[in-house]
Amino acid sequence: MKNEKIPYKIYLEENEMPKSWYNVRADMQKKPAPLLNPGTKQPMTAEELSAVFCDELVQQELDDTTPYIEIPEEIRNFYKMYRPSPLVRAYCLEEKLGTPAKIYYKFEGNNTSGSHKLNSAIAQAYYAKKQGLKGVTTETGAGQWGTALSMACSYFDLDCKVFMVKCSYEQKPFRREVMRTYGASVTPSPSETTAIGRKILAEHPGTTGSLGCAISEAVEVAVSSEGYRYVLGSVLNQVLLHQSVIGLETKAALDKYGIKPDIIIGCAGGGSNLGGLIAPFMGEKLRGEADYRIIAVEPASCPSFTRGVYAYDFCDTGMVCPLAKMYTLGSDFIPSANHAGGLRYHGMSSTLSELYDQKLMEATSVTQTDVFQAAEYFARVEGILPAPESSHAIRVAIDEALRCKETGEEKTIVFGLTGTGYFDMVAYEKFHNGEMTDTIPTDEELEAARAKLPR
Ligand SMILES: *Cc1c(COP(=O)(O)O)cnc(C)c1O
């Protein structure tokens, strides 16, 4: 098919969908650093982790050697309801920009949760059900993860308790109601329902919460409730593994037409969509079979890669979770009220952190108003109303395409369009009214949070 005109959308047939996830850690010579027990400072054992997470997910979390892990048939069947997701050739965007670059995006917003998060939610719910659990607890920031998990839990008939960061709970009542439609209970965090929530409220009265606080509350409820485990929508190795379905589909679609990307771009909050999108490409890079430029895009208000340090840190504010070695701003860092809620996390996947440290990928940060300018441009040209998080990748893809216009290079750019922005219209409203601001933390603020890193 090499000489055929590339269609606007490259779809895969059902039988071309991946049957296994790809575990990039298997091809890394230097592995990501292990999670540590915050008490003993020793690597977390499977037994310790299984108090918090489902058994099979613990195995996936700790597995640094198996390259392909079969996707259970039940999960593949669920995937078929909304996958394969299209790989779109952005002909309209290319033309409007007047660039010789060829731009593709992998669109993950075609499901009710509106993002890629469903890819891991369904896997995590499946393993919880298989273990005979009653339910799961989790946190949600902007609401996409909570929505995805509610959908997955209702499919497998599991109870789902979501702690939603208070400012989102108040700002996004519609997301909350979508979760309740799928049967989840939603509690604003910090709350009076947990010991850690009460402690945080006593120390910071009136706080509007953070992902770190909500994680602490969800973990507390999971470990103290019979038949419950905690699930997390990003950061962990297991989540990157599940999200590799994005990259595997992307690569299969490109291979169909003999297309080799030069640049692969994704937004990075905890690193799951980017880790998933790049997985098979990074695998080729690690094995010396191909080379790609890979760019992580983060908000200037929460710049974990570009201004953080590579160190062991807590994953949550309450300091109950294991320590992870990652690029971090410090678990004490509370980012400004940026509208890309899904990117407001102080840390980063330890797998991506290690790859970044080995200089196998790059990172850049962009300001909120530049992101929304790109989001609006993209909506008008390509039709899709993008999520603010996804628009970070759009911004950099457009910038790279404009660079090609200057140099005349016909580079092939692939970026991850992680979701839609229908629940983010308050942010769009602020942008349209000229009320959006760009808050960039000062060196002093970053230093203050860094000083509290565990030694
Ligand atoms: C959660 C989310 C992100 C960021 O999370 P990652 O784990 O870094 O992928 C990006 N885009 C959307 C739409 C999200 O919901």
Side-chain angles (χ1 to χ4, degrees):
M1 285 211 246
K2 297 219 162 137
N3 296 319
E4 236 173 75
K5 179 172 153 71
I6 313 289
Y8 275 72
K9 282 188 188 148
I10 309 179
Y11 276 107
L12 297 175
E13 301 295 330
E14 241 170 49
N15 62 11
E16 294 171 313
M17 287 172 66
K19 296 190 176 54
S20 301
W21 292 301
Y22 168 63
N23 178 9
V24 73
R25 286 168 286 158
D27 283 310
M28 291 171 72
Q29 294 217 320
K30 185 166 175 238
K31 306 291 183 191
L35 293 170
L36 298 186
N37 178 313
T40 64
K41 307 283 188 302
Q42 293 302 308
M44 291 289 288
T45 62
E47 199 187 333
E48 288 169 328
L49 284 170
S50 60
V52 182
F53 299 114
C54 305
D55 297 345
E56 200 138 345
L57 293 168
V58 169
Q59 295 311 320
Q60 294 179 358
E61 191 62 31
L62 297 176
D63 189 339
D64 281 348
T65 52
T66 312
Y68 287 95
I69 295 175
E70 195 187 329
I71 307 174
E73 198 185 348
E74 290 90 335
I75 300 175
R76 273 191 279 142
N77 288 343
F78 186 88
Y79 279 167
K80 283 176 196 162
M81 287 198 276
Y82 70 101
R83 311 198 66 83
S85 71
L87 181 71
V88 183
R89 173 75 183 268
Y91 281 116
C92 301
L93 180 63
E94 289 168 19
E95 195 181 313
K96 200 79 174 180
L97 292 171
T99 177
K102 299 176 177 66
I103 309 174
Y104 295 84
Y105 57 90
K106 179 72 167 163
F107 181 46
E108 291 291 321
N110 255 340
N111 67 75
T112 297
S113 76
S115 82
H116 64 286
K117 292 203 170 68
L118 193 54
N119 301 332
S120 184
I122 193 63
Q124 297 195 45
Y126 167 79
Y127 291 117
K129 186 70 184 179
K130 198 175 153 203
Q131 196 174 322
L133 298 178
K134 287 184 206 148
V136 294
T137 71
T138 199
E139 77 295 330
T140 195
Q144 289 97 320
W145 168 244
T147 311
L149 189 68
S150 312
M151 291 174 70
C153 284
S154 74
Y155 184 75
F156 284 121
D157 207 11
L158 281 168
D159 184 39
C160 179
K161 296 186 197 302
V162 180
F163 286 88
M164 185 170 187
V165 177
K166 194 179 277 168
C167 62
S168 299
Y169 182 90
E170 284 159 4
Q171 278 172 12
K172 301 193 172 181
F174 297 151
R175 271 241 183 255
R176 187 178 76 211
E177 291 316 313
V178 178
M179 287 184 249
R180 292 177 65 200
T181 300
Y182 286 95
S185 70
V186 188
T187 308
S189 164
S191 75
E192 297 284 348
T193 66
T194 64
I196 189 71
R198 290 189 290 274
K199 179 164 176 276
I200 292 169
L201 283 172
E203 285 169 10
H204 307 274
T207 177
T208 53
S210 70
L211 264 186
C213 297
I215 295 175
S216 303
E217 291 203 87
V219 172
E220 182 182 320
V221 172
V223 297
S224 60
S225 314
E226 168 74 31
Y228 280 78
R229 290 292 185 282
Y230 167 69
V231 295
L232 182 59
S234 182
V235 185
L236 296 174
N237 293 330
Q238 53 185 277
V239 183
L240 266 73
L241 176 74
H242 307 148
Q243 295 296 357
S244 69
V245 68
I246 304 173
L248 291 163
E249 280 184 12
T250 302
K251 187 152 192 319
L254 291 172
D255 284 350
K256 257 178 130 165
Y257 289 89
I259 305 159
K260 277 239 159 256
D262 297 295
I263 310 176
I264 305 169
I265 301 167
C267 63
S272 75
N273 86 83
L274 179 65
L277 173 67
I278 67 174
F281 302 98
M282 185 59 86
E284 289 187 318
K285 202 165 158 156
L286 288 164
R287 297 188 302 269
E289 296 164 8
D291 198 14
Y292 304 99
R293 240 188 104 196
I294 294 171
I295 311 175
V297 189
E298 55 188 16
S301 59
C302 193
S304 321
F305 270 135
T306 50
R307 293 175 73 199
V309 287
Y310 191 29
Y312 267 103
D313 191 13
F314 288 97
C315 298
D316 62 325
T317 315
M319 304 182 183
V320 295
C321 291
L323 294 165
K325 189 177 179 194
M326 56 186 175
Y327 275 85
T328 179
L329 299 165
S331 64
D332 219 51
F333 180 79
I334 297 195
S336 67
N338 181 291
H339 291 292
L343 305 183
R344 289 182 74 218
Y345 183 64
H346 66 273
M348 185 54 66
S349 139
S350 57
T351 299
L352 288 191
S353 293
E354 182 54 38
L355 292 167
Y356 180 66
D357 199 56
Q358 292 180 27
K359 309 226 170 359
L360 290 160
M361 53 183 275
E362 307 165 26
T364 186
S365 73
V366 287
T367 58
Q368 187 165 226
T369 44
D370 285 347
V371 165
F372 273 82
Q373 191 195 30
E376 189 183 77
Y377 188 86
F378 184 83
R380 291 180 187 183
V381 177
E382 285 286 321
I384 294 173
L385 180 77
E389 292 87 352
S390 324
S391 305
H392 287 67
I394 298 176
R395 173 76 269 166
V396 172
I398 290 179
D399 290 347
E400 288 296 332
L402 290 174
R403 202 158 297 141
C404 288
K405 185 175 176 177
E406 275 170 30
T407 61
E409 286 171 291
E410 290 184 26
K411 288 198 173 143
T412 298
I413 300 170
V414 174
F415 73 89
L417 187 66
T418 50
T420 47
Y422 299 110
F423 290 102
D424 299 284
M425 296 326 287
V426 172
Y428 275 91
E429 180 188 25
K430 288 229 160 70
F431 176 70
H432 295 141
N433 291 345
E435 292 161 1
M436 185 169 276
T437 53
D438 291 315
T439 317
I440 301 173
T442 63
D443 288 338
E444 290 70 37
E445 281 164 340
L446 293 183
E447 191 44 55
R450 210 178 285 153
K452 295 198 182 158
L453 282 173
R455 308 255 157 228

